[in-house]
Amino acid sequence: MDTTNDKKQPDAGADLPRRRFLNSTAAAGVALGAATLVGCKQEPQAAAPAAGAAPAAPAAAAAHAAGDGGHLKPGQLDEYYGLWSGGHSGEVRVLGLPSGREIKRIPVFNRCALTGWGSTNESKAIIGTKPDGSMKYTVGDTHHVHASYTDGTYNGKYAWVNDKINSRLARIRLDYMVCDKITQLPNIQGFHGVFPDKRDPVDPKINHTTRVFCGSEFSIPLPNTGKDAADPTKYHSLFTCVDAETMAVRWQVLIDGNCDLTATSYDGKLAATNQYNTEMGAKYEDMMSAERDACVFFHVARIEQAVKDGKFKTYGDSKVPVVDGTKAANKDAKTALTGYVPVPKNPHGVNASPDGKYFICAGKLSPTATVIDLAEVLKWFDGGVDDLKKTIAAEVELGLGPLHTAFDGRGNAFTTLFLDSQVVKWNVDKAIAFFKGDKNAKYIVDRLDVQYQPGHLNASMSETKEADGKYLNVGCKFSKDRFLPVGPLHPENEQLIDISGEKMKLLSDHPCWPEPHDFIIVKRNKIKTSQVNKLEEHPLAIKDIKDSRVERKGNKVTVFIGSLAPAFGLRDFKVKKGDEVTIILTNLDKIEDLGHGFAIPNHDVNFIVNPQETASVTFKADKAGVFWCYCTHFCHALHLEMRSRMIVEG
Ligand code: K7E
Ligand code: CUA
Ligand code: CA
């Protein structure tokens, strides 16, 4: 196993950070007067006053996973972060790989009782609210997680995830691993594929992600007023570009057919979406009537020039410029904004090979993969290729129900076969040679049965220039008999495969709570997290526990309250029945892993504040009485004693 990166790891190779951690914890204990706890010298972990804060992992070399099935010994750290979509749970999850351990859940479009996501004012401001202050939407369906790039590889800044139900794009800041922005996409339904660009298509100095591309799966009448439901010519799908920093929608492209998955080229010039419903059918029989659908290519620079030149429309209330990417409007390749490469049949998935040369579409209803040569597509846009069919470098048989493709960086592709319950490993160059007529080119390298019916798969660092060909994870849609039975609702089965050799080796099964779709596997040194918030990030943070106070304006009461283990800054506070109460809680503890919670009985209030974080909730004090507000998050030997009293005067 390659351990060269470990030297750069703050978390590996030395026990220094752990010592520093324990010292600071102990010091805090002294400061809090909890130093009387015995046993500190013999058992620093057990006696640390912040019991919940005991570090779980002594610094360790990463696991020699390929040798022992991905199993890590206690205290060993994983080599990769896995960023997993949570499907219609609406969340994103963080797994460690190769162990498959779930390390974190990031609430995004869902509510989370633990963190207070969806009930704090801060999270509601991100999610969006109705005029009465309640969350605008409370459900979401996340399919695809992709992260920001610099120079063709992950830069650890952001990840994005789609919401198929309510047409939203969310961003996760990877330093805290929390959602920080959500954008509503106009004019569309069934937002499915998402992929950031990898560099700017015109300015060579901009070598990082600045745009996020979003495909919409369902066609709807435009504008969607309910009048044109019976007129199929009014139904359209749009391809959307969102600004990676501001998260504002930049532009949309009207297309023929629909969008599914999304991919981007390494030079930033092209984005693409595969289409399974070029027929524009409303019923599945119609959607599968054509022999070929397509992969639509978007010429990003030309689209942005068209927007600049004012060649766009808007629809309904939306101010977003929509350019015309339909076939009829783009017949001349030299000025075309879009190009439609014909691909058999109801393709699912489009993936960019790490050498930057090809996009690969899997056939789903055709047993084939189609390899599209990006240099040829660019030539077509310049008028040098007369037919987009000629950009197809290979169309080869793989097996039944091909869906998604990953890469090992050594010229091999791995494609899931949903119907065959297999992963097939195939060599891209040999597939091209075979397609060109070399019937001796054996492009299938290996096949591995998986359990069962795989959807997405991804390899470590797969869609980056640093694809390292170590691990492949396969998201199996059905676990059936692989885990202890838990009643009718089964988990899915994530299977980890060693792809370092010629043959694939199944390493382990991990149950995954429904229902992940896509995921990425990111080398751990690409992501640098902060374990402590910055106090100044919240404008209403109090700086000192003594600043805890109650302010009243009419019947609106604001309670500023600090938390410093093992006490809240106010042992009690008084409000009147009928008041609208806002609790603004600042965690003044500075120590890693020393979070506090705040729950108010019979008021449906519960949220947490991480070290140096501030969060707030607003509610109506509609019952007179005494209510013990308590810390829900285990923080200290006196965690149970950490309380405040809300006295509501009748
Ligand atoms: Cu990426 Cu599951 Cu939305 Cu394929 S989709 S399986
Ligand atoms: Cu503070 Cu538990
Ligand atoms: Ca079709």
Side-chain angles (χ1 to χ4, degrees):
M1 197 208 60
D2 157 41
T3 53
T4 47
N5 273 315
D6 290 336
K7 295 203 182 64
K8 295 176 213 139
Q9 287 295 314
D11 53 15
D15 65 352
L16 204 68
R18 168 182 154 83
R19 286 227 190 100
R20 217 183 287 133
F21 180 96
L22 286 171
N23 285 343
S24 57
T25 309
V30 173
L32 295 165
T36 47
L37 288 169
V38 291
C40 292
K41 279 179 188 134
Q42 288 90 350
E43 288 183 303
Q45 278 199 38
H64 295 265
D68 61 3
H71 180 72
L72 294 190
K73 297 218 168 64
Q76 283 187 318
L77 299 182
D78 278 294
E79 209 182 332
Y80 297 89
Y81 285 105
L83 301 180
W84 246 250
S85 69
H88 44 297
S89 70
E91 66 193 9
V92 166
R93 299 164 193 167
V94 185
L95 271 62
L97 290 174
S99 74
R101 298 180 295 203
E102 185 182 283
I103 312 171
K104 182 165 187 172
R105 295 186 173 193
I106 304 172
V108 180
F109 302 113
N110 55 325
R111 295 192 61 160
C112 172
L114 169 85
T115 57
W117 187 260
S119 49
T120 63
N121 295 323
E122 291 72 16
S123 60
K124 280 196 214 159
I126 292 167
I127 299 161
T129 53
K130 295 190 214 163
D132 69 356
S134 62
M135 252 167 83
K136 185 165 181 212
Y137 297 119
T138 60
V139 296
D141 183 13
T142 64
H143 286 224
H144 305 108
V145 187
H146 289 287
S148 54
Y149 286 79
T150 297
D151 276 332
T153 190
Y154 298 129
N155 63 18
K157 196 167 179 198
Y158 299 126
W160 288 272
V161 68
N162 71 307
D163 168 18
K164 184 166 168 177
I165 299 173
N166 292 316
S167 310
R168 292 172 295 172
L169 176 70
R171 185 174 74 186
I172 288 159
R173 53 182 285 188
L174 289 175
D175 58 348
Y176 292 164
M177 293 199 172
V178 296
C179 172
D180 77 334
K181 274 188 191 286
I182 293 179
T183 293
Q184 181 87 46
L185 308 185
N187 303 325
I188 62 137
Q189 273 175 32
F191 164 30
H192 193 221
V194 56
F195 216 100
D197 66 3
K198 300 187 180 94
R199 60 187 311 131
D200 193 87
V202 278
D203 185 348
K205 288 197 292 293
I206 301 176
N207 64 350
H208 60 268
T209 293
T210 59
R211 303 167 182 78
V212 185
F213 300 106
C214 309
S216 61
E217 206 180 321
F218 307 149
S219 303
I220 50 170
L222 267 186
N224 195 14
T225 58
K227 288 198 190 112
D228 301 313
D231 180 357
T233 66
K234 290 279 180 357
Y235 280 66
H236 295 286
S237 286
L238 301 174
F239 188 74
T240 303
C241 174
V242 176
D243 189 285
E245 284 300 329
T246 65
M247 289 287 283
V249 180
R250 284 193 180 186
W251 43 259
Q252 296 183 301
V253 184
L254 186 83
I255 57 165
D256 292 319
N258 74 333
C259 307
D260 190 15
L261 278 290
T262 303
T264 61
S265 64
Y266 281 83
D267 59 14
K269 290 179 180 162
L270 297 170
T273 184
N274 65 291
Q275 306 190 294
Y276 63 82
N277 189 16
T278 50
E279 304 90 339
M280 295 293 274
K283 302 188 286 271
Y284 77 85
E285 303 90 318
D286 301 330
M287 297 184 201
M288 53 193 279
S289 58
E291 274 317 304
R292 279 182 183 260
D293 289 289
C295 183
V296 191
F297 282 84
F298 299 88
H299 194 295
V300 178
R302 281 188 198 166
I303 289 167
E304 299 199 339
Q305 192 57 47
V307 171
K308 259 192 210 155
D309 297 344
K311 293 178 191 155
F312 61 79
K313 278 193 199 171
T314 59
Y315 290 95
D317 300 336
S318 163
K319 303 222 157 44
V320 172
V322 180
V323 300
D324 191 346
T326 56
K327 282 184 197 165
N330 292 276
K331 284 193 182 127
D332 179 4
K334 282 190 176 162
T335 57
L337 310 179
T338 54
Y340 293 69
V341 177
V343 174
K345 166 176 190 171
N346 286 33
H348 187 75
V350 53
N351 296 94
S353 64
D355 58 11
K357 289 187 190 163
Y358 307 112
F359 279 3
I360 292 173
C361 288
K364 191 164 76 183
L365 302 188
S366 152
T368 55
T370 301
V371 181
I372 302 169
D373 187 328
L374 299 183
E376 295 297 302
V377 174
L378 284 174
K379 259 190 225 162
W380 178 84
F381 274 112
D382 290 336
V385 172
D386 62 348
D387 188 343
L388 273 167
K389 263 188 212 135
K390 294 184 184 162
T391 67
I392 294 172
E395 207 168 277
V396 290
E397 242 176 75
L398 298 179
L400 293 182
L403 292 185
H404 296 282
T405 300
F407 306 91
D408 67 1
R410 297 186 289 271
N412 300 304
F414 301 81
T415 300
T416 45
L417 301 174
F418 181 81
L419 297 175
D420 281 341
S421 270
Q422 268 185 352
V423 174
V424 54
K425 175 179 177 181
W426 53 288
N427 183 279
V428 178
D429 284 341
K430 286 195 180 145
I432 293 170
F434 180 86
F435 185 69
K436 295 220 167 103
D438 176 0
K439 293 300 161 206
N440 295 320
K442 287 212 168 66
Y443 61 89
I444 300 287
V445 182
D446 191 24
R447 291 179 185 278
L448 182 75
D449 289 335
V450 294
Q451 289 72 28
Y452 305 89
Q453 265 91 34
H456 276 274
L457 82 179
N458 220 335
S460 41
M461 300 295 289
S462 175
E463 266 174 277
T464 75
K465 286 190 168 169
E466 296 181 311
D468 62 14
K470 283 193 181 176
Y471 295 107
L472 180 81
N473 191 87
V474 184
C476 297
K477 295 290 182 195
F478 298 89
S479 61
K480 297 183 188 172
D481 53 1
R482 299 296 278 198
F483 305 108
L484 283 177
V486 287
L489 179 55
H490 289 50
E492 294 188 26
N493 187 14
E494 301 293 326
Q495 293 193 301
L496 193 71
I497 295 167
D498 177 359
I499 53 166
S500 58
E502 178 87 351
K503 294 249 166 225
M504 294 178 275
K505 261 187 267 166
L506 182 63
L507 294 174
S508 54
D509 287 1
H510 305 289
C512 219
W513 188 235
E515 151 150 301
H517 289 249
D518 202 2
F519 44 86
I520 55 173
I521 302 172
V522 181
K523 188 97 184 162
R524 68 183 187 187
N525 64 2
K526 296 285 172 195
I527 297 177
K528 304 257 185 299
T529 65
S530 310
Q531 275 63 253
V532 174
N533 282 65
K534 292 185 190 68
L535 197 68
E536 63 276 12
E537 273 182 338
H538 198 296
L540 300 175
I542 58 167
K543 313 251 161 356
D544 193 296
I545 193 81
K546 291 195 214 84
D547 297 337
S548 299
R549 65 191 186 274
V550 178
E551 286 179 3
R552 171 180 288 279
K553 273 193 197 122
N555 68 344
K556 292 197 170 159
V557 178
T558 306
V559 182
F560 293 87
I561 183 165
S563 65
L564 195 59
F568 290 112
L570 298 171
R571 302 306 171 93
D572 53 56
F573 56 92
K574 283 189 185 142
V575 300
K576 294 199 174 70
K577 186 178 165 187
D579 282 347
E580 184 195 283
V581 181
T582 297
I583 307 266
I584 303 175
L585 177 64
T586 299
N587 184 355
L588 292 162
D589 276 305
K590 292 181 179 148
I591 297 166
E592 184 173 342
D593 208 1
L594 189 43
H596 298 285
F598 198 85
I600 310 179
N602 306 344
H603 285 77
D604 206 29
V605 167
N606 181 36
F607 64 108
I608 59 170
V609 276
N610 293 306
Q612 300 281 293
E613 186 183 23
T614 299
S616 65
V617 289
T618 300
F619 60 93
K620 194 142 193 208
D622 53 3
K623 297 170 273 283
V626 169
F627 300 93
W628 283 102
C629 310
Y630 71 96
C631 178
T632 45
H633 207 74
F634 204 102
C635 54
H636 190 279
L638 294 172
H639 158 73
L640 287 178
E641 289 82 351
M642 186 165 175
R643 299 194 225 161
S644 180
R645 243 179 337 147
M646 179 171 77
I647 299 159
V648 185
E649 297 172 330

